[in-house]
Amino acid sequence: MGQVVIETKDLSKTYDGFTAVDKLNLHIEEGEIFGFLGPNGAGKTTTILMLLGLTEPSSGTIQVCGYNPDREPLEVKRIVGYLPEKVGFYEDLTARQNLEYTAELNNLPRGEAQERISNLLSTVGLSQVSDQEVRKLSRGMKQRLGIADIWVKDPKLVFLDEPTSGIDPEGIEDILNLTANMAKRGMTVVFCSHQLHQVQRICTRVGILAKGHLVAEGQIDGLGRQAIAGGRYRIEAQVGQVHQELIDAIKRMGGVTEVQDSGDSLLISCNKDLRKQISKLIVESDNSLLGMRIEEYSLEAIYKKVLS
Amino acid sequence: MYAIFRKELADHLESKRFAILFILATLAAVFAVLLAVQNIRGAVTSSSEFVFLKIFTISSEPLPFFLFFISIFIPIIGIALGFDAVNSERTSGNLSRLLSQPIYRDSIINGKFLASLAVLSFMVVSVIAIVGGLGLRIIGVPPNSEEVLRLVAFALTSIIYGGFWVALAILFSVSFDRAATSMLVSLALWIFFFLFASMIAEAIANARVPLDQNSSLEMFARNIEIQRMVSRISPCNLYGEAIVALLTPEIASLNPALMMISVTVAGKMLTPLNFGQSLLLIWPQVVSIVALAAICFAISYIRFIKQEIRAI
């Protein structure tokens, strides 16, 4: 990680008196897969459009790979790929012709473009249908073609806006793998979605947007602790025999704030990861430790909590 | 921009729309020639200097068929080539993809306009070539150099006029989200200019200078003058005046009243104008059409550049 790819300061956008994005501060670094979440109308797409220089911000500053998209839109568009939510292609052209047009608009030399397009079509699994008119392709295929389309210019940063909506489970799997593949090749990915378990699977970090504000941001486990457990770690320890002495002993440990007895296991809240110390204590007190688990947070729970 | 121009051109040439219009144009051109050939004997007198041009202007009531046809045909091709230029990109979801490519936004609209204009020029030139070629073959009189010049000027004027309709249709395609709306509005405007502008002009003229059986020649002249002036708000009339003057060298004035008086006074048609003088005669018309086209294009250009790409 390291280099900053996206940096916004107090970015705001007002449409006819309605504030779509309100003082947004984003910081995304190279190589991340950033999950950009939020309910419909929270301002995700507007933010992306501003980052691309397609819409003018009302106030605030943006840096995308060191460029200001408002002043140097062409520089930004040369290195940024954008897959819109309702992506469309020229239905009368074949998949390959559509990509060739994109390559031409990006001023790629013909020979190089041909080779890259063939490679990309096989990467996204469309080699078989590359010479068919786009109108004959399924929704999932079109979406994969969309991924190939933004890949043609070999971008440093890609925005995927709801890339998995309306696609069958297999298609979703393909898109997620392709997204991970892009990140592996060094692209920074901003992934907008409502499908929280998909985001949780591939994203390294998430930001949750509500009414134009970033209400939560960070890595998923950290976010979960913040949002759900009030910043605490929750450890569940299954022990052979639960007795008061053990509970008291754990309570006396530094960092432990609460111990709950739930029959055959103990629920321990603490302000750092004390699994090692707790397991040692249990074993040394001649008890048997049958299992231990640190609570993981589902993005869904975090999302609901943050937005409520 | 070149990439966009090339793609749009290829799209147009491969489209069904183009095929249909082209077949229609060819049939009408052939029909015009046949009609002209039937009537040409009567129209050509021994003193006729411009026999070849007669193929284009020969009268079959109420108007020269070819001129009538081309003045309807050009707006229709112009509208057909422009009405869905921008809004179809938007509805098909191509626009945001296109705009996220490293191209200036204006090159999209410029490329589209130029591609439509190229197709239009191709059609206009083909129609003139078909009529000219067939006519030459049938009547066997080759055009003289002045006739060729006049035909070139006629083609250029027609292309400029078509450019106006393309620009207007693109303007509506930027302004309205649905292709059907922009087409209907363009067609409605064309019908207004084509049919109603003259009627309105007549009504205004008759209100200002009422005519009856006792009216003097001067009154008639004033009435017609007002009619002419008012009807010039319509680009259809501007174009009509321009091409009639270009292809009929005998027309020395665009004012029919003046023509009428001079014919009455001199007792015969005047000697034909030379090409430069005819050009001078229609220069205001041509400049007006160019200005109208430029205004339409400028408005659509600005609207398109300023249009926000919104999250839906």
Side-chain angles (χ1 to χ4, degrees):
Chain A
M1 307 281 152
Q3 221 187 337
V4 181
V5 175
I6 298 176
E7 177 98 70
T8 69
K9 279 214 176 72
D10 294 335
L11 182 64
S12 303
K13 176 71 193 178
T14 318
Y15 287 127
D16 325 314
F18 166 74
T19 307
V21 177
D22 191 11
K23 296 214 167 97
L24 180 69
N25 292 300
L26 268 185
H27 178 97
I28 298 175
E29 290 181 356
E30 196 178 349
E32 280 191 281
I33 304 184
F34 185 80
F36 203 30
L37 313 174
N40 291 323
K44 290 171 297 185
T45 306
T46 308
T47 307
I48 293 180
L49 293 177
M50 285 193 283
L51 292 171
L52 275 165
L54 290 179
T55 293
E56 216 176 313
S58 306
S59 66
T61 59
I62 314 175
Q63 289 274 310
V64 175
C65 300
Y67 296 109
N68 176 349
D70 200 25
R71 297 241 181 83
E72 306 151 294
L74 249 47
E75 311 298 327
V76 171
K77 287 173 190 170
R78 211 161 275 147
I79 49 175
V80 177
Y82 170 46
L83 182 64
E85 182 177 355
K86 287 179 186 141
V87 66
F89 292 94
Y90 296 103
E91 304 268 310
D92 294 338
L93 301 183
T94 67
R96 181 183 292 276
Q97 283 166 339
N98 267 290
L99 296 188
E100 280 169 356
Y101 185 43
T102 305
E104 206 177 338
L105 292 175
N106 280 282
N107 274 328
L108 291 184
R110 214 154 220 294
E112 192 189 326
Q114 292 292 349
E115 197 187 321
R116 197 183 284 177
I117 288 168
S118 299
N119 288 340
L120 280 177
L121 282 168
S122 79
T123 308
V124 301
L126 293 176
S127 296
Q128 301 287 322
V129 292
S130 64
D131 292 316
Q132 277 189 30
E133 284 177 8
V134 169
R135 69 170 81 247
K136 291 180 188 148
L137 302 187
S138 69
R139 179 100 173 73
M141 286 174 171
K142 280 185 193 167
Q143 205 68 29
R144 278 182 282 153
L145 185 60
I147 296 220
D149 183 64
I150 55 176
W151 210 328
V152 164
K153 62 169 104 164
D154 199 17
K156 283 189 185 163
L157 167 67
V158 295
F159 294 100
L160 307 178
D161 198 353
E162 300 285 346
T164 57
S165 69
I167 295 182
D168 59 30
E170 253 175 79
I172 289 176
E173 194 63 28
D174 290 336
I175 300 277
L176 293 182
N177 290 336
L178 284 170
T179 309
N181 194 345
M182 287 174 126
K184 231 180 270 163
R185 308 220 183 154
M187 294 177 212
T188 310
V189 180
V190 175
F191 191 94
C192 281
S193 182
H194 298 299
Q195 310 296 320
L196 299 171
H197 55 277
Q198 295 167 13
V199 173
Q200 185 158 24
R201 227 191 77 190
I202 61 164
C203 291
T204 49
R205 220 154 58 85
V206 298
I208 300 176
L209 202 62
K211 294 183 182 128
H213 292 283
L214 200 60
V215 288
E217 187 200 3
Q219 280 164 0
I220 292 171
D221 53 347
L223 258 185
R225 275 195 301 282
Q226 286 301 325
I228 295 171
R232 299 210 176 85
Y233 288 79
R234 291 210 287 199
I235 297 165
E236 190 185 356
Q238 243 187 322
V239 293
Q241 283 171 304
V242 179
H243 45 76
Q244 200 55 41
E245 266 171 54
L246 179 63
I247 295 174
D248 290 339
I250 294 172
K251 270 187 182 163
R252 277 196 299 275
M253 286 176 69
V256 174
T257 52
E258 202 193 343
V259 180
Q260 275 179 315
D261 176 6
S262 67
D264 60 344
S265 60
L266 299 170
L267 274 177
I268 306 156
S269 298
C270 40
N271 52 22
K272 56 186 179 222
D273 189 357
L274 290 175
R275 274 180 294 181
K276 240 186 220 168
Q277 292 87 328
I278 292 169
S279 60
K280 199 170 160 204
L281 187 105
I282 293 170
V283 173
E284 280 173 357
S285 68
D286 274 345
N287 212 323
S288 47
L289 179 61
L290 302 175
M292 188 175 244
R293 193 173 71 83
I294 193 156
E295 193 170 65
E296 279 174 10
Y297 303 94
S298 79
L299 190 52
E300 208 159 331
I302 299 169
Y303 185 82
K304 276 185 192 145
K305 181 86 183 175
V306 163
L307 291 179
S308 62
Chain B
M1 190 186 84
Y2 179 64
I4 296 173
F5 172 75
R6 235 185 44 190
K7 176 190 169 284
E8 291 297 321
L9 194 61
D11 275 3
H12 281 315
L13 295 181
E14 284 168 17
S15 68
K16 291 193 185 83
R17 206 184 290 170
F18 173 77
I20 293 169
L21 285 173
F22 196 72
I23 292 170
L24 195 76
T26 313
L27 288 178
V30 171
F31 184 60
V33 175
L34 295 180
L35 213 62
V37 168
Q38 275 174 9
N39 296 326
I40 204 153
R41 248 169 241 294
V44 177
T45 55
S46 54
S47 65
S48 293
E49 215 181 311
F50 299 101
V51 177
F52 193 72
L53 285 184
K54 280 279 187 294
I55 307 168
F56 294 90
T57 57
I58 199 150
S59 273
S60 53
E61 292 303 316
L63 277 168
F65 177 76
F66 178 73
L67 296 189
F68 178 68
F69 152 71
I70 203 149
S71 65
I72 292 181
F73 178 64
I74 286 176
I76 289 180
I77 328 178
I79 291 171
L81 291 175
F83 77 92
D84 62 350
V86 174
N87 47 18
S88 71
E89 297 272 344
R90 200 192 306 277
T91 36
S92 67
N94 273 305
L95 191 63
S96 39
R97 206 165 55 83
L98 201 56
L99 288 174
S100 68
Q101 306 304 335
I103 45 170
Y104 289 105
R105 206 189 270 199
D106 53 354
S107 57
I108 297 176
I109 198 160
N110 292 345
K112 279 174 177 287
F113 179 72
L114 289 180
S116 295
L117 206 59
V119 174
L120 183 108
S121 314
F122 172 69
M123 289 219 206
V124 167
V125 172
S126 333
V127 167
I128 294 176
I130 290 170
V131 174
L134 271 181
L136 181 65
R137 191 114 181 106
I138 296 173
I139 65 168
V141 182
N144 60 32
S145 61
E146 195 182 322
E147 284 175 316
V148 172
L149 270 181
R150 282 176 183 274
L151 283 177
V152 170
F154 166 61
L156 282 178
T157 311
S158 304
I159 290 166
I160 292 169
Y161 180 57
F164 161 72
W165 287 103
V166 172
L168 190 76
I170 288 183
L171 171 60
F172 290 138
S173 88
V174 174
S175 307
F176 300 106
D177 283 342
R178 290 163 55 108
T181 316
S182 60
M183 182 171 75
L184 284 176
V185 173
S186 317
L187 285 177
L189 205 61
W190 170 60
I191 290 172
F192 171 78
F193 280 144
F194 187 68
L195 293 177
F196 297 119
S198 311
M199 290 189 202
I200 292 171
E202 205 179 317
I204 291 177
N206 287 339
R208 299 273 302 171
V209 186
L211 295 177
D212 54 40
Q213 284 155 342
N214 305 324
S215 302
S216 63
L217 194 59
E218 191 189 346
M219 297 272 277
F220 271 107
R222 273 185 57 202
N223 181 295
I224 289 176
E225 179 64 22
I226 293 173
Q227 255 188 59
R228 289 268 124 186
M229 288 313 291
V230 176
S231 70
R232 278 180 190 146
I233 57 161
S234 157
C236 301
N237 288 331
L238 291 176
Y239 174 69
E241 288 183 347
I243 57 173
V244 168
L246 267 178
L247 295 181
T248 325
E250 291 83 4
I251 288 187
S253 163
L254 290 172
N255 188 334
L258 254 178
M259 274 298 278
M260 203 162 70
I261 293 165
S262 61
V263 170
T264 324
V265 172
K268 60 174 169 64
M269 286 298 274
L270 299 171
T271 37
L273 292 182
N274 69 28
F275 176 62
Q277 283 167 324
S278 284
L279 212 56
L280 218 55
L281 196 62
I282 61 148
W283 199 241
Q285 275 72 8
V286 174
V287 172
S288 308
I289 297 173
V290 171
L292 284 172
I295 290 169
C296 285
F297 185 71
I299 297 174
S300 47
Y301 183 93
I302 292 165
R303 289 197 71 146
F304 183 64
I305 301 277
K306 295 270 168 195
Q307 216 162 42
E308 297 234 40
I309 306 303
R310 278 204 189 194
I312 308 152

